[in-house]
Amino acid sequence: MQADTPPRFDNLAQVERIGSSSSSLVFGFQAFGEEADLQRLEKALKAARIEFQRFDYHTRSVVVSPPYALPASVVSSMWKRAASGEFGALQVGILLIDKDAAADGVEIDELEMVRPDEIRR
């Protein structure tokens, strides 16, 4: 029996975390906030043709994750806009994976959520 291989994603932006010597890849982002702010973000995501998922369990959030049909720069631009307050008072978490760890595919338990201010721009 062959083990399942984790999915690979070739269209992820490379970033550096402040205080880290290794490179990371931006797997996606999650935004938490009030309904009206999330709706503004969703409208912008739809206009940019970025797929997302909406969660309304314990907290309301929007999650953007691969696969991306667009350049990584488009997705990176969107989380930066969300973190800057363009869509309201959203809390944004960036989902990162170590670049070396992603070489063999991405396992969900290898992802780490960090604040936007932890990433060197």
Side-chain angles (χ1 to χ4, degrees):
M1 179 186 292
Q2 183 177 346
D4 292 334
T5 54
R8 293 184 54 134
F9 301 101
D10 298 320
N11 192 19
L12 302 179
Q14 183 173 313
V15 296
E16 290 182 24
R17 286 186 64 183
I18 294 173
S20 175
S21 59
S22 62
S23 294
S24 296
L25 299 175
V26 176
F27 185 77
F29 71 92
Q30 186 166 11
F32 303 88
E34 296 298 322
E35 183 64 29
D37 299 339
L38 290 171
Q39 286 179 357
R40 282 190 285 276
L41 172 60
E42 289 174 338
K43 184 177 178 180
L45 289 167
K46 288 176 186 175
R49 296 192 171 134
I50 298 173
E51 294 185 34
F52 63 91
Q53 293 179 305
R54 176 66 184 261
F55 295 96
D56 290 311
Y57 301 117
H58 302 292
T59 59
R60 290 185 289 269
S61 69
V62 171
V63 177
V64 175
S65 62
Y68 302 121
L70 303 165
S73 61
V74 175
V75 176
S76 291
S77 172
M78 192 61 69
W79 70 254
K80 290 174 184 176
R81 290 172 59 193
S84 75
E86 182 175 333
F87 308 113
L90 296 173
Q91 291 182 320
V92 177
I94 312 305
L95 297 166
L96 297 182
I97 184 165
D98 182 84
K99 183 179 178 184
D100 294 333
D104 295 332
V106 176
E107 296 279 357
I108 193 75
D109 62 349
E110 295 174 317
L111 296 175
E112 181 180 5
M113 188 178 300
V114 301
R115 294 184 323 267
D117 63 359
E118 294 180 71
I119 296 174
R120 194 178 325 269
R121 295 188 188 207

